[in-house]
Amino acid sequence: MRLCMFVVVCLHAMARGQNITDVAQAEAFLEDYNIKVSESLNARVKASWTYNTNLTDENADKMIEENLRHAAFAKEAAKNASLYAWQDFEDPMRREFFKITDIGTAAMADQTKLERLNTVLSELQKLYSTGKGCVTSDRCLPLDPDLTNILANSRDIKELEGAWKGWRDATGKKMRTLFTEYVNLHNEAIQESGYSDTGEYWRSMYESQDFRTDVAALFEQLQPLYQQMHAYTRTKLIEKYGKDNFPSTGHIPAHLLGNMWAQQWNNLYSDLVPIKGKPSVDITEELKRQNFTAVKMFEVSDAFFTSMGMKEMPQSFWENSMLEKPTDGRDVVCHASAWDFYDTEDFRIKQCTEPTHSQMVTVHHEMGHVEYYLQYKHQPVLFRRGANPGFHEGIADVASLSFQTPKHLHAIGFLPTLEEDDETDINFLFNMALQKIAFLPFGYLIDQWRWDVFSGATKPEEYNAKWWDLRCSLQGVSPPVKRTEEDFDPGAKYHIPGNVAYIRYFVSFVIQFQFHKVLCEEAGHTGPLHKCDIYNSTEAGDLFSGMLGLGSSKPWPEAMQNITGQNKMDAQPLIDYFQPLLDWLKIQNAGVNVEWSVTCPEFVDAKASATSIHLSGFVCLFLLVVAGWLNRRGEWFLLLSIPAQSTCDRTLGDMRTHLCLALFSAVTVLLTSGQLITDLDQARQFLDEQDAESARVYYKSSVTAWDYYTNITDENLDALVESDLMVAEFTKESGRNASMFDWKNFQDETMRRRFSILADIGTAAMPDKTKLKRLNNVLYEMEEIYNTGKVCVKDDECLDFEPGLRRIMSSSRNYEELTKVWKGWRDQTGKKMKNLFAEFVSLSNEAIRANGYADTGAWWRSSYETETFRQDMEQLFLQLEPLYIQLHAYTRRKLMEVYGESVFPSGGHIPAHLLGNMWAQSWGNLLNILQPYKDKQSVDVTPQMKAQGYTPRRMFETSEEFFTSLGLEPMSQLFWKNSMIEKPKDGRSVDCQASAWDFSNGSDFRIQQCTDITMQDLITIHHEMGHIQYYQQYMHQPVVFREGANPGFHEAIGDVLALSVSTPKHLQKLGLLTEVEEDAESDINYMLSIALEQIAFLPFGYLMDQWRWSVFSGETPQRLYNTKWWALRCRYQGISPPVERSEDDFDPGAKYHIPANVPYIRYFVSFVLQFQFHQALCQAANQTGPLHKCDIYQSKEAGNLLSRVLELGQSRPWPEAMEILTGQRKMDARPLIEYFQPLIDWLKDQNKGYKTGWDHKCPDSIPKTASATTTRVTYGLLLVTIVTAVLSYM
């Protein structure tokens, strides 16, 4: 043991080289460093102050010179610090050394580039600070105070538009090229410090790997408050400016919100005040009446802090600060800011102060920064910062929360009277919300934009488009004039050219309410949080000072813990503060849509006619010309002489003559009347011809698709792409032609439903054919990556997924082998398609939005015909989650017995590769491990099937016989002739994902499956043949009705039969079980086998489209694809990745339905529905006893009931179909729970005394022990050790 320890120490020393370990030497280095860095920073800040308060080229050169000098100092200091073995020192010494070595852009080795970077930043700031926006051609004004006052006070929409556009033309538009250069230089410099890009460097200041996820969760939590504010504000502004000035998409034009950037809306208070006649909490007029100067405003703020026993401003502050805009003609940076000169004496504020309420709030904010400086000035220099960047901003705002209360304003003489009633409270809270709530999305999105710019996800040619994507989707504001990539609107906000990270402000708007709450408690405040004023409370001041004095000497969670008792950010205090207002706003907004489109409204140069009709090719032109001529002459009868037959024969190409003539007749009526067609006979004629043509087009397309998926070649792919484009064009024409009819007012519900489906044309709505073709190509490229993926398990053995990799994942218990296959499959599939998938998302959304949907997710959800679908799914999942938690706990414990505890994360997760399935979506392959009663008969009959010589054909015939026993349809001869039920042996690449096909001609139905001789595949066959049975039952319906009642119905029909097929009773009838054991233990074995397929699947079935919906909506950008994926899987499934994952990976793409673009929530829906259907069919079959023992085999009554629903297809809304089958009109999880109740009770008993559940966040690290036979190796090493010891003693 001593020798081992010695070796470890030696290796450690070798790794360190000659690094200094002496603590006394390190202390001396730090003492000397602090003296020198104070001097260096002081010189740098002085040069920056001089420039910012006098914008001249000479001062800019001096500032750049000082920045470069300090960069050289920082680089040399970091080099010297690296001579110490500081990683082994104790905190705070280790923390101080880290900050010395983390030098940001100073790491740039190329001095010329570093100088250029500083010059670029100086030029950007000068463009901003000297900009003058031209409101009109002869009226060009600086931002402060002129343009700011126009945006705040003018209600002339043209003047506002001129000021808004003029400022952007004068600033951002001129700095686009410089900004691109800055991004490249800054990234290069930061990368030399070991960061991937500038965004990562900025985020590192929050010392949390989960920072992006955390702030996204906070924003999502707070969004409902903003939506209510936005809806109320928009309604009031429409009343003021008129509806014509607002887009129909729900956005607010950005120039109407009282602020140049629409970031805070408090200047609109007088227009929006909720209850007029109550005292105003805006003290602007009172400040002017009392002749307040800038100095006097700052003195009021100083008095606030000293009333709490905190530090007063030093005399140097009053002597050196710039509190007003100079009148000597100097150009200055008016943006308010607080300055620390790093000499423990000199602290200043720079602000062009005006006597307004909002400026008084800013004064308290900036003075809060200085108070922070004063409190931590005793700390080492690099600890003289906020605990994190958001702390500094949050601390600065805390004082303003008290200052703005009516109670405080009354106490210091700004409100003559103090009214205490609910209406006054609402006015006050509303005014605060115009500052605090209105700001949240803006504070959140600025760095979302910049992080994408820095990472390269947003290219220079799309800077402005991405900026407005975020502002429209997250803020619900839209540009008042057309914007293009010639503009650069981010640059019109100071913090962009000023290179100031902005997420700190969003963070601060959350944590300031956390601080406010605890300080109010310390001050002894009782009652609503929004009424608290900590003025004069030395108790609150002492608590506050204690935290401020820490600076950044401790990680921010510790500082947070010191003051709030929590170690994380929490939005609840903010919500509590505004709860009375939120309740009031909900009442005011009743009946108002509080959401907006996630896409910006389009600017259209010319308004299209509301009744414009699109027709194919030359027929449209021909009809319009002739009709116009006839209309002028009044000779409508001449329409009868138009050679319609000839025109249709010659000009409509692939469209059949009967359909063409039906349209020709319809257009004639439309043009002669100028109105939509109301004639039902014409509508029926159109629908009949349309139906026949649809069947023909879709059959042709299906044949082409089948040829590709059963023989994946480039030639077949090209044919498929062309076929899809043809179908898209046909679909688009169908939708356009349907729009000629006044179908929404038809009384015939079936006819109305057919037209509605025709009009909803999905991605075919894409107006740009080139993009539509690219969309199809992207999908096929992703599918090809998936279908041709191989993993080399040995140097000379590379396996396809089917059956090779699937068999390994299902049967291997070798940890290393499973890890290799799990990772290898993701490397060979998902990782290769991430960029393609992002392109698909963009194109799919663009296409779907042309069809009137917010995004692809909204279109998918529309198939369920209910506005509350998302909430309904969430409620179902929450109802079922306890079942999964019990199964998860039992499974985890049993797997630990196999693999050892060391490979399992401490947070309760299960490594994803140990669950017998490539995606951990179903766990049936673990039954041999998990089956509790080993001496009882196994319900996995795979061995019996193989022993009895089952073939794929026999498995399909077994399934067919189940359906015919119910009186349902047998498979046709075409089915047996055309289906692909085995993987071809001729070397073709095929898509092995099992699928059922309807060729739309009423006779050709097929299954494509690479069948393996397993019980699991036997169940899959029943599932796929359930689809075929559905096709056969509804084949008499019009083509548009040949779908499931909803997408989940189609999946549930196949699965409901599997519930009977898998019962021991049915397996005995098939001769696969010799006897059925009827006892509780056998029941538990059986139900566990079903639960491993059904219950284990539920969270996976739920989360797949939660992820995709968030991607489609823009909530999850490309840079967070994999992070969000694993956040959902860890949260809902309680599984974790077996190896480190990053944004270089794209693990969603390793699941077929992602590259294949198949919505997945249907499977979650089906897993609920199938038990409702099963219960109803068992009752029809007169089955009694426990639901899990029911087998509807040979029940004609059950078959008749099922047939009545299947034959409806999509012709009725799904609740009606549901009611026919179950007597209910909604989805219900209770039959599923009833089915598994005996197992639930048993699992709860087994799990007593053991932990159930898991941490909702993914583990911080992957367990390092990953031997293939971890447990065995550990014991083997132990044995060797013991034997060696015994021999040594002998």
Side-chain angles (χ1 to χ4, degrees):
M1 180 61 74
R2 289 176 186 169
L3 177 61
C4 181
M5 291 288 292
F6 175 74
V7 169
V8 170
V9 171
C10 288
L11 289 172
H12 187 69
M14 287 169 63
R16 293 291 182 202
Q18 299 301 312
N19 283 8
I20 302 165
T21 59
D22 185 81
V23 172
Q25 288 187 57
E27 288 174 343
F29 169 79
L30 290 176
E31 184 177 352
D32 180 63
Y33 169 81
N34 271 284
I35 293 170
K36 291 177 179 176
V37 75
S38 293
E39 294 170 351
S40 181
L41 283 171
N42 181 260
R44 180 190 183 196
V45 174
K46 281 181 177 176
S48 182
W49 174 270
T50 301
Y51 172 70
N52 277 268
T53 57
N54 188 11
L55 295 168
T56 67
D57 291 341
E58 181 183 357
N59 287 341
D61 291 341
K62 289 180 180 177
M63 181 179 71
I64 292 170
E65 182 182 337
E66 279 301 323
N67 285 341
L68 292 171
R69 184 201 52 74
H70 179 73
F73 168 82
K75 190 182 297 183
E76 183 66 22
K79 180 180 176 182
N80 293 334
S82 68
L83 298 175
Y84 293 82
W86 59 265
Q87 292 92 339
D88 297 327
F89 294 160
E90 297 294 324
D91 281 337
M93 182 180 285
R94 177 172 54 197
R95 187 172 178 83
E96 194 171 355
F97 266 100
F98 168 73
K99 288 181 178 291
I100 294 172
T101 58
D102 192 22
I103 58 175
T105 55
M108 181 172 264
D110 188 325
Q111 193 70 8
T112 303
K113 286 185 176 180
L114 185 60
E115 183 174 351
R116 179 58 188 162
L117 171 59
N118 282 279
T119 300
V120 168
L121 283 169
S122 173
E123 290 175 12
L124 285 169
Q125 290 183 45
K126 186 173 182 180
L127 281 172
Y128 183 93
S129 299
T130 59
K132 292 187 177 182
C134 296
V135 184
T136 59
S137 59
D138 58 350
R139 187 183 171 208
C140 299
L141 305 170
L143 178 66
D144 285 311
D146 306 80
L147 295 177
T148 296
N149 285 340
I150 290 175
L151 267 294
N153 303 316
S154 175
R155 298 300 179 258
D156 181 326
I157 202 164
K158 284 298 179 186
E159 183 180 36
L160 290 168
E161 182 181 300
W164 189 95
K165 182 178 184 296
W167 177 245
R168 283 152 180 80
D169 289 347
T171 54
K173 198 168 189 175
K174 295 179 177 180
M175 60 178 75
R176 184 190 186 100
T177 302
L178 277 173
F179 183 81
T180 304
E181 184 182 2
Y182 147 76
V183 169
N184 293 331
L185 288 169
H186 208 281
N187 270 350
E188 184 177 343
I190 287 299
Q191 284 158 1
E192 292 187 41
S193 248
Y195 295 94
S196 61
D197 58 58
T198 302
E200 185 187 31
Y201 171 61
W202 285 358
R203 294 190 297 275
S204 73
M205 299 172 190
Y206 293 88
E207 301 180 84
S208 168
Q209 291 183 344
D210 298 321
F211 178 66
R212 293 191 77 160
T213 306
D214 291 343
V215 292
L218 288 169
F219 179 72
E220 189 172 350
Q221 188 180 357
L222 293 167
Q223 203 169 23
L225 282 74
Y226 179 79
Q227 287 175 333
Q228 294 293 335
M229 278 292 294
H230 182 282
Y232 176 85
T233 301
R234 187 171 190 271
T235 300
K236 290 293 183 183
L237 291 178
I238 286 174
E239 292 174 5
K240 184 171 190 67
Y241 293 106
K243 192 172 183 178
D244 290 347
N245 288 306
F246 287 75
S248 60
T249 49
H251 298 91
I252 301 175
H255 62 320
L256 302 183
L257 285 160
N259 175 277
M260 183 59 82
W261 310 279
Q263 68 182 60
Q264 290 175 308
W265 308 344
N266 42 302
N267 290 315
L268 299 182
Y269 179 75
S270 59
D271 300 293
L272 306 177
V273 58
I275 295 101
K276 297 188 184 296
K278 290 292 176 180
S280 172
V281 284
D282 187 322
I283 61 171
T284 300
E285 293 306 315
E286 190 62 23
L287 287 169
K288 292 176 180 177
R289 191 187 69 78
Q290 295 186 30
N291 294 317
F292 257 71
T293 61
V295 170
K296 195 171 180 181
M297 291 167 71
F298 279 86
E299 287 172 346
V300 168
S301 180
D302 190 31
F304 184 95
F305 289 100
T306 57
S307 81
M308 299 168 64
M310 300 179 77
K311 298 189 182 290
E312 65 178 347
M313 296 299 108
Q315 186 58 35
S316 61
F317 170 85
W318 303 106
E319 293 172 354
N320 297 332
S321 291
M322 186 196 89
L323 304 182
E324 296 181 83
K325 187 172 185 178
T327 55
D328 56 8
R330 279 183 278 157
D331 283 325
V332 300
V333 177
C334 269
H335 186 87
S337 54
W339 295 62
D340 180 356
F341 283 73
Y342 293 98
D343 60 1
T344 73
E345 295 177 356
D346 195 352
F347 309 98
R348 309 180 193 177
I349 284 174
K350 172 183 61 64
Q351 182 172 335
C352 300
T353 315
E354 293 282 310
T356 67
H357 181 98
S358 63
Q359 287 272 289
M360 186 62 128
V361 172
T362 302
V363 166
H364 280 75
H365 176 90
E366 299 304 333
M367 292 283 273
H369 284 305
V370 177
E371 186 64 36
Y372 212 162
Y373 299 153
L374 291 167
Q375 293 287 347
Y376 62 46
K377 68 180 185 178
H378 65 282
Q379 291 282 359
V381 172
L382 294 188
F383 290 162
R384 294 180 202 169
R385 301 173 184 171
N388 70 36
F391 261 60
H392 232 302
E393 303 303 329
I395 295 303
D397 270 349
V398 165
S400 70
L401 291 176
S402 287
F403 165 76
Q404 293 184 84
T405 60
K407 175 182 173 183
H408 184 79
L409 294 174
H410 176 67
I412 62 175
F414 289 128
L415 280 184
T417 59
L418 179 63
E419 295 191 18
E420 297 275 5
D421 56 55
D422 291 343
E423 292 180 337
T424 302
D425 279 359
I426 292 299
N427 276 4
F428 165 67
L429 283 170
F430 186 78
N431 193 28
M432 292 296 290
L434 291 173
Q435 303 169 46
K436 304 294 184 182
I437 303 301
F439 176 81
L440 293 171
F442 187 76
Y444 177 70
L445 70 84
I446 281 197
D447 281 351
Q448 302 296 320
W449 179 81
R450 271 195 291 200
W451 294 341
D452 273 0
V453 167
F454 290 135
S455 73
T458 294
K459 304 293 189 291
E461 61 269 21
E462 55 187 11
Y463 279 170
N464 221 44
K466 292 293 186 182
W467 172 256
W468 281 107
D469 281 350
L470 288 168
R471 297 207 68 187
C472 290
S473 63
L474 299 180
Q475 217 182 344
V477 303
S478 58
V481 294
K482 188 172 184 178
R483 312 311 286 156
T484 70
E485 288 303 330
E486 292 182 6
D487 302 300
F488 181 59
D489 295 334
K493 175 64 180 168
Y494 168 78
H495 300 75
I496 301 295
N499 192 33
V500 179
Y502 208 77
I503 197 69
R504 65 183 64 187
Y505 299 104
F506 176 79
V507 168
S508 79
F509 273 48
V510 174
I511 63 177
Q512 66 185 258
F513 288 91
Q514 286 181 266
F515 298 155
H516 184 58
K517 180 180 178 181
V518 295
L519 292 174
C520 290
E521 291 169 353
E522 192 69 16
H525 171 77
T526 57
L529 189 56
H530 64 269
K531 292 191 175 187
C532 168
D533 175 17
I534 59 174
Y535 183 58
N536 284 329
S537 172
T538 54
E539 295 82 3
D542 290 343
L543 178 63
F544 206 19
S545 296
M547 188 193 72
L548 302 189
L550 293 173
S552 63
S553 63
K554 303 277 189 188
W556 72 263
E558 292 186 33
M560 175 76 81
Q561 184 87 36
N562 283 358
I563 189 171
T564 69
Q566 296 175 281
N567 62 2
K568 62 180 182 179
M569 295 180 281
D570 182 7
Q572 195 57 50
L574 187 156
I575 295 170
D576 292 343
Y577 185 99
F578 287 106
Q579 191 62 53
L581 176 66
L582 180 59
D583 295 339
W584 183 85
L585 285 170
K586 286 180 178 177
I587 294 170
Q588 304 307 305
N589 291 331
V592 175
N593 182 11
V594 300
E595 297 182 349
W596 53 85
S597 170
V598 296
T599 56
C600 291
E602 292 187 10
F603 284 90
V604 184
D605 294 329
K607 291 185 177 179
S609 168
T611 57
S612 62
I613 305 299
H614 305 276
L615 294 174
S616 300
F618 297 108
V619 172
C620 176
L621 178 62
F622 177 72
L623 286 171
L624 289 173
V625 171
V626 174
W629 173 66
L630 292 172
N631 185 28
R632 285 195 300 272
R633 296 187 58 185
E635 296 174 354
W636 292 109
F637 68 93
L638 287 178
L639 277 169
L640 298 175
S641 66
I642 293 176
Q645 180 73 46
S646 174
T647 304
C648 286
D649 285 344
R650 294 177 183 174
T651 62
L652 289 193
D654 209 36
M655 187 181 289
R656 284 298 181 260
T657 301
H658 289 301
L659 177 57
C660 175
L661 290 172
L663 289 171
F664 201 98
S665 175
V667 172
T668 300
V669 174
L670 176 64
L671 292 174
T672 55
S673 66
Q675 297 178 347
L676 295 177
I677 301 162
T678 59
D679 186 89
L680 293 181
D681 289 334
Q682 288 198 36
R684 288 190 188 95
Q685 181 187 2
F686 165 73
L687 289 174
D688 289 345
E689 298 296 342
Q690 173 72 32
D691 196 61
E693 186 66 8
S694 295
R696 190 190 69 81
V697 170
Y698 296 152
Y699 175 76
K700 184 178 178 182
S701 168
S702 297
V703 170
T704 307
W706 178 268
D707 289 345
Y708 170 72
Y709 285 106
T710 58
N711 187 15
I712 297 173
T713 66
D714 291 342
E715 182 181 355
N716 285 344
L717 175 59
D718 291 342
L720 181 57
V721 171
E722 289 304 314
S723 172
D724 282 351
L725 291 173
M726 179 270 294
V727 171
E729 187 60 31
F730 173 77
T731 304
K732 187 185 296 185
E733 287 300 318
S734 299
R736 289 171 175 171
N737 295 333
S739 70
M740 293 187 295
F741 295 85
D742 188 22
W743 58 266
K744 292 181 181 178
N745 292 314
F746 289 167
Q747 296 303 305
D748 186 325
E749 187 177 348
T750 300
M751 184 178 287
R752 194 165 62 238
R753 189 169 177 82
R754 288 177 70 179
F755 270 106
S756 173
I757 295 170
L758 274 177
D760 192 7
I761 60 175
T763 55
M766 173 81 86
D768 186 326
K769 287 185 179 180
T770 302
K771 286 186 176 180
L772 183 60
K773 184 173 183 178
R774 179 57 189 158
L775 171 59
N776 288 318
N777 273 322
V778 167
L779 284 169
Y780 295 127
E781 287 172 33
M782 289 195 294
E783 282 196 78
E784 185 170 17
I785 289 170
Y786 184 93
N787 289 324
T788 58
K790 292 178 185 286
V791 175
C792 295
V793 293
K794 298 177 183 176
D795 290 342
D796 58 348
E797 186 182 7
C798 299
L799 301 177
D800 294 328
F801 180 77
E802 291 284 359
L805 300 178
R806 182 164 74 103
R807 286 177 180 170
I808 291 174
M809 294 303 297
S810 65
S811 59
S812 175
R813 300 296 178 256
N814 182 310
Y815 191 97
E816 285 183 350
E817 182 180 36
L818 291 169
T819 303
K820 184 175 184 178
V821 169
W822 188 94
K823 181 179 184 295
W825 179 246
R826 283 151 181 80
D827 288 347
Q828 293 303 314
T829 55
K831 197 169 189 174
K832 294 181 177 181
M833 64 177 76
K834 184 172 186 177
N835 290 334
L836 281 171
F837 184 80
E839 185 181 1
F840 151 72
V841 169
S842 177
L843 289 168
S844 182
N845 273 348
E846 183 178 346
I848 289 301
R849 285 164 185 159
N851 204 25
Y853 292 96
D855 56 58
T856 303
W859 181 53
W860 285 0
R861 293 189 297 274
S862 71
S863 302
Y864 294 88
E865 301 181 85
T866 171
E867 292 182 0
T868 59
F869 178 67
R870 293 190 77 160
Q871 297 91 317
D872 295 344
M873 293 303 96
E874 183 180 14
Q875 288 306 309
L876 286 171
F877 179 76
L878 292 175
Q879 192 178 356
L880 294 167
E881 192 174 26
L883 285 72
Y884 178 80
I885 289 172
Q886 293 296 331
L887 181 65
H888 179 282
Y890 174 80
T891 302
R892 185 173 191 268
R893 194 167 71 254
K894 290 294 182 182
L895 290 176
M896 280 182 169
E897 294 173 6
V898 175
Y899 295 100
E901 293 187 17
S902 63
V903 299
F904 286 76
S906 60
H909 301 88
I910 300 174
H913 64 321
L914 302 183
L915 286 159
N917 175 277
M918 184 62 83
W919 311 281
Q921 69 181 58
S922 57
W923 308 344
N925 291 314
L926 299 183
L927 184 62
N928 60 344
I929 295 174
L930 304 180
Q931 182 171 310
Y933 303 108
K934 306 291 186 185
D935 57 338
K936 293 294 178 180
Q937 197 169 36
S938 173
V939 287
D940 183 349
V941 295
T942 299
Q944 291 90 324
M945 291 172 64
K946 291 179 177 178
Q948 293 181 28
Y950 266 72
T951 63
R953 174 75 181 223
R954 184 176 171 186
M955 292 164 72
F956 275 84
E957 288 171 344
T958 299
S959 177
E960 180 190 35
E961 196 274 330
F962 187 98
F963 287 97
T964 57
S965 83
L966 301 177
L968 298 173
E969 298 292 329
M971 299 297 105
S972 68
Q973 280 303 113
L974 275 177
F975 171 84
W976 297 109
K977 177 184 177 183
N978 293 335
S979 291
M980 185 198 88
I981 61 176
E982 296 183 72
K983 186 172 184 178
K985 296 187 173 82
D986 56 9
R988 280 183 276 157
S989 287
V990 299
D991 182 354
C992 271
Q993 178 75 24
S995 55
W997 292 62
D998 179 356
F999 282 70
S1000 301
N1001 65 350
S1003 60
D1004 196 349
F1005 311 103
R1006 309 180 194 178
I1007 285 176
Q1008 168 199 325
Q1009 181 172 336
C1010 300
T1011 312
D1012 210 0
I1013 311 302
T1014 65
M1015 181 174 173
Q1016 190 174 46
D1017 270 20
L1018 181 63
I1019 299 302
T1020 300
I1021 288 168
H1022 282 77
H1023 175 92
E1024 298 304 333
M1025 289 192 84
H1027 287 306
I1028 301 292
Q1029 189 62 224
Y1030 214 157
Y1031 300 154
Q1032 293 181 143
Q1033 292 285 337
Y1034 61 47
M1035 67 183 185
H1036 64 283
Q1037 293 281 359
V1039 172
V1040 293
F1041 288 162
R1042 295 182 198 170
E1043 294 285 352
N1046 71 37
F1049 262 63
H1050 233 302
E1051 303 303 328
I1053 294 303
D1055 281 339
V1056 74
L1057 303 172
L1059 292 175
S1060 287
V1061 171
S1062 57
T1063 60
K1065 176 179 167 184
H1066 186 77
L1067 294 173
Q1068 184 187 36
K1069 292 175 185 175
L1070 294 178
L1072 293 171
L1073 285 181
T1074 55
E1075 59 180 331
V1076 176
E1077 297 177 349
E1078 296 279 0
D1079 57 60
E1081 292 180 345
S1082 296
D1083 280 359
I1084 292 299
N1085 274 2
Y1086 169 64
M1087 275 187 285
L1088 182 65
S1089 73
I1090 302 300
L1092 292 173
E1093 299 292 340
Q1094 304 283 348
I1095 303 301
F1097 176 82
L1098 292 171
F1100 187 76
Y1102 177 70
L1103 70 84
M1104 276 270 287
D1105 281 351
Q1106 301 297 320
W1107 179 81
R1108 273 193 289 199
W1109 295 341
S1110 76
V1111 168
F1112 289 135
S1113 72
E1115 175 196 335
T1116 298
Q1118 183 179 359
R1119 64 174 184 273
L1120 290 178
Y1121 279 174
N1122 224 44
T1123 303
K1124 179 72 170 182
W1125 174 254
W1126 280 106
L1128 289 170
R1129 298 204 74 185
C1130 292
R1131 157 66 183 91
Y1132 289 110
Q1133 269 189 291
I1135 66 169
S1136 58
V1139 293
E1140 294 289 346
R1141 313 311 287 153
S1142 73
E1143 286 301 331
D1144 289 335
D1145 302 301
F1146 181 58
D1147 295 335
K1151 175 62 180 168
Y1152 170 80
H1153 299 74
I1154 300 295
N1157 193 31
V1158 179
Y1160 209 77
I1161 197 70
R1162 64 181 64 186
Y1163 300 104
F1164 177 78
V1165 169
S1166 78
F1167 273 46
V1168 174
L1169 290 179
Q1170 65 185 267
F1171 288 92
Q1172 284 182 268
F1173 297 167
H1174 184 57
Q1175 184 183 63
L1177 293 172
C1178 289
Q1179 290 168 355
N1182 293 317
Q1183 295 274 334
T1184 58
L1187 193 55
H1188 65 270
K1189 292 190 174 186
C1190 168
D1191 174 16
I1192 62 171
Y1193 182 59
Q1194 296 181 334
S1195 171
K1196 299 295 192 292
E1197 295 81 6
N1200 288 335
L1201 178 59
L1202 186 58
S1203 182
R1204 286 175 56 200
V1205 174
L1206 301 188
E1207 66 186 12
L1208 291 174
Q1210 197 182 3
S1211 64
R1212 308 299 302 162
W1214 71 262
E1216 293 185 26
M1218 170 81 84
E1219 190 171 25
I1220 292 171
L1221 184 54
T1222 69
Q1224 295 175 281
R1225 293 180 63 85
K1226 63 179 183 179
M1227 290 179 268
D1228 184 3
R1230 285 176 298 177
L1232 188 157
I1233 295 170
E1234 178 191 334
Y1235 184 99
F1236 288 106
Q1237 193 61 57
L1239 177 66
I1240 297 167
D1241 296 338
W1242 182 85
L1243 284 171
K1244 285 180 178 177
D1245 187 59
Q1246 297 299 306
N1247 291 331
K1248 281 181 181 175
Y1250 295 97
K1251 176 185 175 181
T1252 59
W1254 52 85
D1255 293 345
H1256 282 182
K1257 287 186 177 180
C1258 290
D1260 291 333
S1261 60
I1262 307 297
K1264 297 299 181 186
T1265 305
S1267 170
T1269 52
T1270 304
T1271 307
R1272 293 192 294 276
V1273 170
T1274 302
Y1275 285 130
L1277 287 173
L1278 178 61
L1279 179 61
V1280 170
T1281 304
I1282 293 171
V1283 170
T1284 304
V1286 171
L1287 289 174
S1288 68
Y1289 280 106
M1290 291 174 64

